[in-house]
Amino acid sequence: MSDQADVRRDNSGPAHRYSSRLAGAIEERWQQAWAEAKAFRALNPGDEGFDAAARRFYCLDMFPYPSGKGLHVGHPIGYIGADIISRYRRMRGDNVLHPMGWDAFGLPAEQYAIDTGVHPRETTLKAIDTFRRQLQRFGFSFDWDREFATIDEGYYKWTQWIWLQAWSSWYDHRVERARPISELITAIETNEVWFDREGCLSWTRPPEDGKMWEEFTKTEQRDILDGQRLAYLGEETVNWCPKLGTVLANEEIIDGRSERGGHPVVRRPLRQWMFRITAFAERLLQSLDDLNWPESTRTQQAMWIGRSEGADLRFRLVELEGEIEVFTSRPDTLLGVTFMVVAPEHPLVEQVLGEPPDGCDRERIRDYVNTAKNRSNIDRMADGKNKTGHPLGIHATHPATGEPIPVWVSDYVLAGYGHGAIMAVPGHDERDHAFALKYELPIFEVVKPGEEIEDECWYGDGIAINSWCEQLDINGLSTAEAKAAVIHWAELEGHGIGRTSWRIKDWLFSRQRYWGEPFPIVHTEDGTHYPISKEHLPVLLPVLEDYEPAVSEDPQPLLGKLRRWVETTAGEAGVDPALLPPDTPVHRETNTMPGWAGSCWYFIRYCDPGNDTAFVGETAERYWLGPNDAAAGGVDLYIGGAEHAVMHLLYARFWHKLLHDLGHLSSDEPFRTLFHQGLLTSFAYKRDDGSLVPADEVDEEKSIEVATGEVVERIVAKMSKSLRNVVNPDDVIAEYGADTFRLYEMYMGPLDASKPWNTRDIVGVFRFLQRAWRLVVDEDSGDLSVQETLDEDVERALHRTIAKVGEDIERLSYNTAIASMIEFVNLATHHGGLTAEQLDRFARILCPFAPHIAEEFHAKLGNEGLCSVAVWPDYDESMLVDESIELPVQVKGKVRGRISVPADSTEEEVIAAALAHERVAEILGGAEPRKVIVVPGKIVNVIP
RNA sequence: GCGGGUGUGGCGGAAUUGGCAGACGCGCUGGUUUUAGGUACCAGUGGGGCAACCCGUGGAGGUUCGAGUCCUCUCACCCGCACCA
């Protein structure tokens, strides 16, 4: 924004025109007044002045990462949207909770700190100050008394406590909920549970060669219990990012690279803290149906959870001992199996290399497997459909036909899904088909499509054919029937079992970075873990001088550098002396939690942010998040970006269900209604050859590149530094004021639509505020300028506008609400103005959108108190229609004229008026119409 | 490939339930105020035609008195997932 433009807008025109300078002064004054009055404080049950009769409205924004770069113009869109409905509901008398805080742990903050060479705490606190100042400049009606950051000791104390809740519980699939692990121990001690030799639990009957609890060693008992915990140490093949120096969750990997920074990620086995989110898979999927969420987000989560019904089937090996277990979603195609494939990581591969049977080309298998394993995910994907593999030289026995079928190894089979092995049905699976074609393996057709379809490889449902052998006959059965028949047969004959498989995996929850919550746990020499007791939480993040990660092929948690912190005693660390004598030497956990930890429950903490005896007080939790007469429980409205569709929203749902199961929360879903604001894009310019030109090198009027004169095409693109089309909200506010900024971003289009920023358009809503200002203030004298007499047409229009704006806010249709206010102001201007009383009502409907100027109007009109907490104006139903209405008359599907009739006319009267219309009569030429359709208040259609 | 979504003037968009297509804003054209530019204000602005009228919501069909809206097919673009057996 040029200074010149600024000067022009301020220094010309009458002395009391609504200018950016005036807007700035007004905005500062009212922001101060709101802060002093604590106008937006939400009251909890028990607070003085709490109104139990008021409806609650918990309106939540996704709290930002305070990165050092400051706020972007895209950031406020959702915040303005949430602020408008929050302000509106407050004026309607609701008890509104609209909080804000800071998601301050995690990779971005740490990376920024590393880049600038300053401690993350310092840079983070500074960034928070910047963000807070920027957000306050918008006049958001946040209850700033509830503000906190995830790095606050009083907050992460409870993040650690919640993790310990998971560590101290197990999942009881018999009742489908998490329970304290102490209840499992009780069940074991009262012999309700049996174990097999491996220590697997059984609730139904003692396994044939079972083992008593007492027969296990102490270590085995510990491992059995640890294996049940919802937070556990798992030996997993994990995503290791050498550049970031940490492991990452599956959700954080995009196309084989880290979501943050785009660094390569390799897979390697590691012992890491995991969350048993898979135990909740069924419920996380099921309750999606109860949520008022955007369809795209629900399907994304459903796909991520990835439920698949089918069967586990076992194939006995011919040349070796043992069997291959596979998962298939198409057991009906069992008789179409012509070969089997295992992943390069499958244990059978090692077994074959260890004791190679005859005819096994050991060297070439080893080569293939090594190449496949070392190929990065990026390479694998780049290869696309071209499949590679190698025969293992061994065979498996088909469980039904008894025929030997060859076993191959190929990296098109993923180690991480099912059993890392498949039965290949090249007749009815595209991938198996491609593989069979390449390596000339037999292809059998065993499913006939319902209709005649010419397809080389039909993978839909149909009728089973060629599916007969002595053991099994499913010929003629539909796919569904055949699936059931094969599963039944397999279970009866001991070849397998019907099973549901899930794509979702347990959540890898530890990171090797510094800037995160330490785990509240220690372990002794023998590897037994002990929790830090509640009174000793939080385990403070120690100060580290050198927090830069070592770029390494081997994960080294940064906290491991602090030997004196790591090596301590049970008493020092805060382990309950009843569990471990205080002088026992222990090691602290050196991993930290990922950035997601803090955002999994921050909305719970807002209910009761000061509580230092519980993560949330029971009364506060039940009031703000519990089910009530009007709502099913959870946050009433959550507004934020669609980029969080899987990770944050899934993780938070998981924590919520866990805490609900353990009796700490009264609702089982965190976010009842979810809304995604659209992406803010920008215009960019493209040359003929497709290359992009920075926005400041283009003459926008003529669409030519200034330097060359070449004609460029305007396209829509993401804002980026390189295109120099990034807009800084501070600049826009300096030129037009926060009210104009708020109006502009809401007026651009639907809140959930992606739309391009166009600085040129801002002046439209600025002019609207100027016109509104002129209705109240004489531009020359600065005096109040109101009409004495009330204009009937304007009064009707005001009623309509009040009704429309209220309805539009309820459905978050802010662009149309603003349009109707502009229309009203234009009408009022043409009619010579408004009475003081009309202006008073108008100021109140304007208030949620442009709160500062509305407060100024409110005060100028002589009101005491704040407009922001004034009552939303009523409208009179009977004032919504004019006394006489105009109706278009169609003949032969075209509008031929319009008639003016009293609003309460009968259908006969309307028809008579329509037929009497000159043009209509002319077209009819004296003939009687066949039919006349009257849609009350809308249209008359004459059919000749 | 699969899933979700979007296509309306020069531009952003409106039409909530099948009922006047283009509300409202930008831009543009003309005018008023102004020493001038700009600001502000007033009027006009989908295309064609002097007009009656005709054409018009990505495209092609269909249902209906009436379709941007419903149905069938199709094209383009955006987002997400992607060898998940």
Side-chain angles (χ1 to χ4, degrees):
Chain A
M1 305 304 122
S2 67
D3 292 343
Q4 205 187 353
D6 199 18
V7 167
R8 266 196 247 121
R9 270 193 188 86
D10 273 351
N11 290 352
S12 60
H16 298 275
R17 174 161 291 169
Y18 183 75
S19 63
S20 64
R21 184 169 304 168
L22 185 56
I26 289 170
E27 287 164 10
E28 204 183 319
R29 178 157 67 246
W30 292 108
Q31 281 162 17
Q32 237 169 54
W34 296 330
E36 276 164 24
K38 290 195 185 293
F40 309 118
R41 223 183 112 210
L43 296 177
N44 274 15
D47 285 348
E48 200 189 325
F50 173 78
D51 176 7
R55 186 171 55 158
R56 81 146 194 252
F57 183 62
Y58 186 174
C59 181
L60 180 70
D61 284 300
M62 287 185 184
F63 67 166
Y65 288 109
S67 80
K69 291 169 196 148
L71 212 62
H72 176 267
V73 281
H75 247 128
I77 290 192
Y79 297 154
I80 299 168
D83 194 54
I84 290 170
I85 193 161
S86 295
R87 285 175 168 273
Y88 167 76
R89 295 295 277 277
R90 208 177 275 117
M91 292 173 81
R92 297 299 301 248
D94 292 3
N95 190 18
V96 175
L97 175 54
H98 187 213
M100 182 47 70
W102 317 106
D103 186 13
F105 269 135
L107 274 178
E110 187 169 353
Q111 284 297 110
Y112 184 77
I114 290 168
D115 293 345
T116 55
V118 191
H119 193 278
R121 170 168 294 277
E122 212 174 300
T123 52
T124 302
L125 290 177
K126 211 173 128 196
I128 288 175
D129 284 340
T130 308
F131 264 63
R132 188 190 301 106
R133 202 175 53 245
Q134 285 186 303
L135 287 183
Q136 281 174 339
R137 191 63 191 82
F138 285 93
F140 293 134
S141 64
F142 295 130
D143 179 354
W144 286 107
D145 284 359
R146 294 179 188 247
E147 173 195 353
F148 61 81
T150 53
I151 57 171
D152 294 348
E153 287 167 19
Y155 180 79
Y156 77 77
K157 164 182 180 171
W158 298 108
T159 310
Q160 293 175 342
W161 177 84
I162 294 169
W163 182 82
L164 278 178
Q165 295 300 302
W167 184 78
S168 313
S169 41
W170 61 295
Y171 200 83
D172 188 344
H173 280 282
R174 296 170 308 163
V175 292
E176 282 294 333
R177 67 178 183 87
R179 296 172 64 187
I181 198 132
S182 55
E183 294 179 14
L184 177 62
I185 294 169
T186 307
I188 291 169
E189 285 169 355
T190 55
N191 292 323
E192 275 181 71
V193 190
W194 292 275
F195 299 91
D196 68 10
R197 304 211 77 79
E198 268 80 52
C200 290
L201 270 69
S202 168
W203 293 88
T204 44
R205 61 198 147 106
E208 273 166 32
D209 56 345
K211 213 166 159 181
M212 299 299 287
W213 180 246
E214 299 76 33
E215 294 177 61
F216 291 104
T217 65
K218 281 281 165 217
T219 311
E220 284 170 340
Q221 289 182 352
R222 179 198 72 196
D223 290 345
I224 288 170
L225 283 180
D226 283 353
Q228 294 293 319
R229 294 178 191 275
L230 295 182
Y232 66 97
L233 263 183
E235 185 80 38
E236 299 284 325
T237 301
V238 300
N239 306 295
W240 165 249
C241 178
K243 193 73 203 293
L244 292 174
T246 186
V247 296
L248 296 166
N250 291 324
E251 290 85 345
E252 292 171 302
I253 313 297
I254 293 170
D255 295 339
R257 290 175 179 275
S258 65
E259 191 203 12
R260 293 273 167 201
H263 306 299
V265 171
V266 297
R267 297 184 59 78
R268 54 168 48 236
L270 262 183
R271 241 165 109 73
Q272 292 289 314
W273 285 105
M274 310 290 292
F275 265 126
R276 204 176 301 282
I277 192 171
T278 50
F280 291 75
E282 183 82 57
R283 282 163 67 199
L284 287 167
L285 184 67
Q286 286 297 320
S287 50
L288 279 175
D289 291 342
D290 309 330
L291 300 177
N292 182 18
W293 281 24
E295 193 53 41
S296 59
T297 301
R298 290 208 320 221
T299 47
Q300 269 183 67
Q301 285 216 354
M303 277 168 55
W304 189 265
I305 295 167
R307 186 178 201 276
S308 173
E309 263 181 65
D312 279 342
L313 296 175
R314 289 190 295 272
F315 290 64
R316 229 180 44 248
L317 292 172
V318 177
E319 292 86 352
L320 296 169
E321 284 293 306
E323 54 194 18
I324 304 179
E325 187 164 29
V326 301
F327 174 77
T328 176
S329 62
R330 292 294 300 270
D332 61 301
T333 60
L334 180 62
L335 289 153
V337 174
T338 58
F339 58 103
M340 302 192 78
V341 189
V342 298
E345 295 86 352
H346 195 278
L348 184 63
V349 175
E350 276 310 308
Q351 198 186 337
V352 166
L353 291 176
E355 35 176 321
D358 296 339
C360 158
D361 191 342
R362 197 169 158 181
E363 290 315 307
R364 292 189 54 189
I365 294 171
R366 194 187 299 280
D367 276 356
Y368 176 75
V369 169
N370 284 343
T371 317
K373 277 189 188 167
N374 288 334
R375 270 166 97 198
S376 69
N377 292 347
I378 304 164
D379 292 341
R380 266 201 198 192
M381 283 173 195
D383 241 1
K385 296 268 174 265
N386 181 28
K387 293 181 174 45
T388 57
H390 204 272
L392 284 177
I394 58 166
H395 296 81
T397 307
H398 192 287
T401 64
E403 304 266 329
I405 43 182
V407 181
W408 287 61
V409 57
S410 170
D411 67 357
Y412 88 88
V413 171
L414 306 175
Y417 185 76
H419 302 282
I422 60 157
M423 59 176 223
V425 185
H428 304 282
D429 180 284
E430 274 191 306
R431 298 147 302 181
D432 299 344
H433 187 81
F435 195 79
L437 284 182
K438 179 162 175 186
Y439 293 105
E440 296 176 348
L441 293 157
I443 299 170
F444 293 167
E445 199 188 351
V446 292
V447 181
K448 208 175 113 192
E451 315 153 31
E452 281 303 309
I453 294 172
E454 279 295 316
D455 203 326
E456 224 179 306
C457 172
W458 169 249
Y459 48 88
D461 288 359
I463 304 295
I465 53 168
N466 305 326
S467 292
W468 178 91
C469 65
E470 263 175 56
Q471 288 265 322
L472 182 67
D473 178 6
I474 53 170
N475 269 342
L477 297 185
S478 71
T479 296
E481 292 165 341
K483 280 180 182 175
V486 171
I487 291 172
H488 181 75
W489 167 83
E491 288 180 354
L492 215 64
E493 300 293 325
H495 295 304
I497 189 168
R499 187 171 76 95
T500 301
S501 180
W502 301 87
R503 206 189 79 125
I504 191 172
K505 302 203 188 75
D506 276 345
W507 175 16
L508 190 154
F509 194 67
S510 47
R511 300 290 184 274
Q512 289 70 51
R513 298 296 292 259
Y514 169 68
W515 194 232
E517 300 87 345
F519 284 87
I521 201 151
V522 295
H523 62 90
T524 50
E525 202 62 54
D526 68 351
T528 308
H529 284 92
Y530 295 90
I532 307 303
S533 55
K534 186 174 166 186
E535 356 6 300
H536 289 95
L537 297 180
V539 175
L540 290 176
L541 181 63
V543 177
L544 188 65
E545 291 306 322
D546 169 24
Y547 48 83
E548 184 138 3
V551 176
S552 135
E553 287 307 310
D554 239 354
Q556 298 293 335
L558 280 167
L559 290 180
K561 292 181 184 177
L562 296 165
R563 297 232 3 214
R564 274 193 304 172
W565 180 79
V566 175
E567 290 165 20
T568 180
T569 62
E572 193 69 33
V575 178
D576 184 347
L579 293 174
L580 205 59
D583 55 356
T584 317
V586 295
H587 275 75
R588 290 185 195 265
E589 171 61 57
T590 52
N591 284 297
T592 53
M593 299 187 195
W596 307 107
S599 60
C600 279
W601 75 285
Y602 72 111
F603 54 96
I604 301 171
R605 188 65 180 172
Y606 284 137
C607 300
D608 192 13
N611 197 322
D612 57 9
T613 58
F615 78 116
V616 65
E618 203 181 318
T619 317
E621 188 279 323
R622 213 177 286 158
Y623 177 72
W624 289 115
L625 288 168
N628 62 23
D629 297 343
V635 169
D636 296 300
L637 177 62
Y638 194 19
I639 299 186
E643 67 274 18
H644 295 295
V646 175
M647 292 184 271
H648 161 58
L649 290 167
L650 188 65
Y651 296 155
R653 290 180 65 216
F654 162 58
W655 280 40
H656 205 87
K657 286 192 185 300
L658 170 66
L659 289 166
H660 172 71
D661 285 358
L662 297 175
H664 299 303
L665 293 176
S666 51
S667 57
D668 76 329
E669 276 289 336
F671 316 118
R672 196 57 53 176
T673 299
L674 173 70
F675 192 93
H676 295 309
Q677 80 272 20
L679 191 72
L680 188 70
T681 54
S682 188
F683 291 122
Y685 298 87
K686 200 169 78 176
R687 295 189 192 95
D688 251 2
D689 63 6
S691 58
L692 296 170
V693 192
D696 58 354
E697 290 172 17
V698 170
D699 182 333
E700 293 188 27
E701 298 268 302
K702 298 179 192 139
S703 271
I704 53 169
E705 186 177 352
V706 175
T708 60
E710 188 184 337
V711 175
V712 289
E713 188 196 349
R714 191 168 85 165
I715 57 157
V716 170
K718 280 187 186 168
M719 283 193 183
S720 77
K721 248 185 198 162
S722 62
L723 293 175
R724 291 200 277 281
N725 57 7
V726 179
V727 181
N728 179 345
D730 293 345
D731 295 342
V732 180
I733 289 183
E735 190 177 353
Y736 292 99
D739 281 336
T740 297
F741 189 105
R742 291 171 61 115
L743 281 172
Y744 171 63
E745 286 211 339
M746 295 301 102
Y747 187 58
M748 290 172 79
L751 192 57
D752 56 356
S754 152
K755 44 210 177 261
W757 176 273
N758 192 2
T759 300
R760 188 198 258 173
D761 288 346
I762 302 173
V763 72
V765 286
F766 184 67
R767 284 177 191 153
F768 158 64
L769 288 182
Q770 284 186 322
R771 280 199 295 279
W773 179 261
R774 261 195 300 278
L775 290 173
V776 185
V777 178
D778 183 294
E779 284 190 333
D780 296 309
S781 66
D783 296 338
L784 194 65
S785 147
V786 296
Q787 299 303 303
E788 292 303 320
T789 52
L790 184 142
D791 181 300
E792 181 69 16
D793 289 344
V794 173
E795 179 63 14
R796 280 181 190 276
L798 179 55
H799 280 259
R800 274 199 298 270
T801 308
I802 292 169
K804 168 90 175 142
V805 170
E807 281 165 27
D808 283 356
I809 292 176
E810 297 270 8
R811 60 190 180 102
L812 305 183
S813 180
Y814 299 142
N815 54 333
T816 54
I818 295 167
S820 70
M821 286 190 289
I822 295 176
E823 242 174 307
F824 174 71
V825 164
N826 290 346
L827 182 91
T829 302
H830 288 136
H831 279 71
L834 296 169
T835 67
E837 193 279 328
Q838 286 176 320
L839 280 170
D840 189 56
R841 278 179 285 158
F842 174 71
R844 281 184 270 162
I845 60 167
L846 178 64
C847 190
F849 300 87
H852 311 88
I853 196 172
E855 290 285 3
E856 190 72 13
F857 291 166
H858 191 72
K860 280 198 184 299
L861 292 164
N863 290 293
E864 285 298 320
L866 293 167
C867 189
S868 298
V869 292
V871 176
W872 186 259
D874 284 326
Y875 62 88
D876 183 346
E877 204 69 47
S878 69
M879 294 288 280
L880 297 186
V881 279
D882 289 323
E883 280 158 348
S884 128
I885 53 170
E886 210 176 58
L887 286 179
V889 182
Q890 281 189 346
V891 187
K892 288 195 268 186
K894 298 281 177 219
V895 176
R896 309 292 168 169
R898 34 197 90 241
I899 54 170
S900 187
V901 293
D904 54 0
S905 303
T906 62
E907 192 168 320
E908 287 74 29
E909 288 165 343
V910 171
I911 291 174
L915 295 180
H917 189 275
E918 195 186 343
R919 236 350 250 148
V920 175
E922 196 183 313
I923 296 167
L924 284 176
E928 275 297 303
R930 258 196 308 145
K931 201 174 172 188
V932 182
I933 294 162
V934 178
V935 185
K938 296 280 189 189
I939 204 166
V940 183
N941 197 354
V942 180
I943 302 135

